[in-house]
Amino acid sequence: MNKVKAHLALFAVSIFYSCNYIIAQDVMQGDFIPPIALVLFRVIGAGTMFWIIHVSFIRERIKKKDVPYFILCSIIGIVIAQNSFLMGLEKTPTINASLLVSTTPIIVAGFSVVILKERLTLNRIAGIVLAGIGTAVLLSARGKIDFSNDYLLGNSLIILNATAYGLYLVLIKPLLRTYHPLTVIKWVFTFSAPMIIIISYRDFIQIDWSAFTTYAWIGLIYVIIFATFFTYLFNAYAIKILSPVVAGLYLYLQPFITTVLSIGFGKDELTLHKIIAGILILTGLYFVIKKSFPRNT
C-alpha cells in the first residue's frame, strides 16, 4: 500500500508541475515578481510551512555529521535548481523548457547508477526511451521548438536546472533512509534560506506591491503551496519508498497531463499524433513502475 501511495504522490507532483509552467511564467512575465525574488517566496513560504508541521508532529533531530550533506542538497536542489529554472523560464518559450526538462529522467538514471550503484534493468531502459520519444513527439505537436541563439541563455539555464534537480533527487535518497521525509525537506529548505536571501534581496526590495493583481496573488500562492511545498514533500516521500529513477520518470507525464487538460477544456484538439505520443509515454511509464506494485497471490 505504501508503494501505491508513493505513486499517487508522484502523479500529484506531475499535475502540480504541469500547471506551474504556465502560472510561474505569467507571474514573472507580468512584471510582478523577478524570477530570483520568486525563489525567495518559495523558500521562505514553503520552508515556514515545513517548520510548522514538523515541529507540531515530527520533532526529529538531525545528526551534526549529516549537516554538510544537507547543505550540499540545499545548494543543488534549491539554490541552483530553482534559480536556474525560473530564470530560464523567463528567457525561453514554455515548449523549449518542457522538452529540456524532459531530459531529467535520463540524468536521474545516470546519477543513480554512478552514486547509488543502482542497476538499470532492460525494462527501465526501455521505459525511459519509450517515454522520452513520446514526450518529444507530443511537444513537437504542440508548437515549434526553437533552439536558436535567441534562446541560448534560457535553454542553457533549463539544462542546468534539469541536471541539478536530477542530481538532487538522487542525493536525498541516503538521507531519506535515515530520516523522515519532512525532516529532510525542512532542513534542505532551512539551509538554503540564507543563500537565497543574499542572492535575491536586491530584486525583492524592487517589487512594486501596488501593481499586484488578484491573478498575481493567486499565482504566487499556487507556486508556494502546490509547486513548492507539496511537490518537494511528495517527491521526498516517494523517493523514500521507490527508486529516484521511478520518481524522475514521472516528469514525462507533465507534458502529457498538460495536453489532456488543454483538450478537456477545449483549448486543444485530439489528434492521432497526440494519441500515439500518449501511448508511448504511458507504455514507458508502465515498463518502469510495474514491479513497484504488489502482486496478488
Side-chain angles (χ1 to χ4, degrees), residues 246-262:
V246 176
L249 193 75
Y250 268 86
L251 290 168
Y252 283 138
L253 274 183
Q254 293 177 22
F256 173 76
I257 291 172
T258 302
T259 302
V260 170
L261 291 175
S262 297

Side-chain angles (χ1 to χ4, degrees), residues 38-270:
L38 185 56
V39 176
L40 178 61
F41 282 102
R42 297 181 71 179
V43 170
I44 300 301
T48 301
M49 295 171 67
F50 289 134
W51 264 93
I52 292 173
I53 297 175
H54 188 270
V55 170
S56 301
F57 300 103
I58 309 299
R59 300 180 183 179
E60 181 182 36
R61 295 184 177 182
I62 62 173
K63 300 174 183 177
K64 289 183 179 180
K65 68 180 181 66
D66 292 329
V67 169
Y69 195 84
F70 271 99
I71 294 175
L72 175 65
C73 291
S74 299
I75 294 172
I76 294 173
I78 306 295
V79 179
I80 297 177
Q82 287 199 21
N83 277 299
S84 58
F85 175 74
L86 291 173
M87 291 172 65
L89 196 60
E90 186 187 38
K91 301 179 183 300
T92 195
T94 302
I95 190 170
N96 282 16
S98 298
L99 182 61
L100 292 172
V101 166
S102 70
T103 62
T104 303
I106 300 172
I107 294 169
V108 172
F111 282 131
S112 294
V113 171
V114 174
I115 297 174
L116 301 179
K117 308 302 179 184
E118 280 200 24
R119 186 173 64 89
L120 285 183
T121 63
L122 184 60
N123 275 350
R124 287 192 172 183
I125 294 173
I128 292 171
V129 171
L130 283 174
I133 293 173
T135 300
V137 170
L138 183 61
L139 290 174
S140 66
R142 284 170 47 188
K144 183 180 179 182
I145 298 170
D146 189 350
F147 288 136
S148 66
N149 290 334
D150 294 339
Y151 302 115
L152 179 61
L153 178 58
N155 292 337
S156 299
L157 287 168
I158 296 297
I159 292 173
L160 176 60
N161 161 260
T163 304
Y165 191 64
L167 179 57
Y168 162 78
L169 292 180
V170 174
L171 288 177
I172 63 168
K173 180 68 174 182
L175 292 175
L176 291 166
R177 291 172 180 154
T178 305
Y179 302 105
H180 189 282
L182 196 54
T183 302
V184 174
I185 299 304
K186 184 194 82 169
W187 284 109
V188 165
F189 271 69
T190 299
F191 287 126
S192 70
M195 293 177 276
I196 294 297
I197 291 172
I198 294 172
I199 293 172
S200 61
Y201 177 73
R202 291 182 62 182
D203 283 357
F204 175 77
I205 61 176
Q206 294 177 5
I207 295 175
D208 182 7
W209 297 102
S210 63
F212 263 59
T213 63
T214 301
Y215 177 80
W217 281 112
I218 293 174
L220 178 59
I221 292 171
Y222 176 88
V223 170
I224 293 172
I225 297 177
F226 293 97
T228 309
F229 175 81
F230 282 122
T231 54
Y232 273 83
L233 180 59
F234 285 1
N235 261 331
Y237 169 75
I239 292 173
K240 184 178 181 69
I241 299 169
L242 305 171
S243 165
V245 176
V246 176
L249 193 75
Y250 268 86
L251 290 168
Y252 283 138
L253 274 183
Q254 293 177 22
F256 173 76
I257 291 172
T258 302
T259 302
V260 170
L261 291 175
S262 297
I263 293 172
F265 285 103
K267 296 182 178 181
D268 202 348
E269 295 182 356
L270 181 63

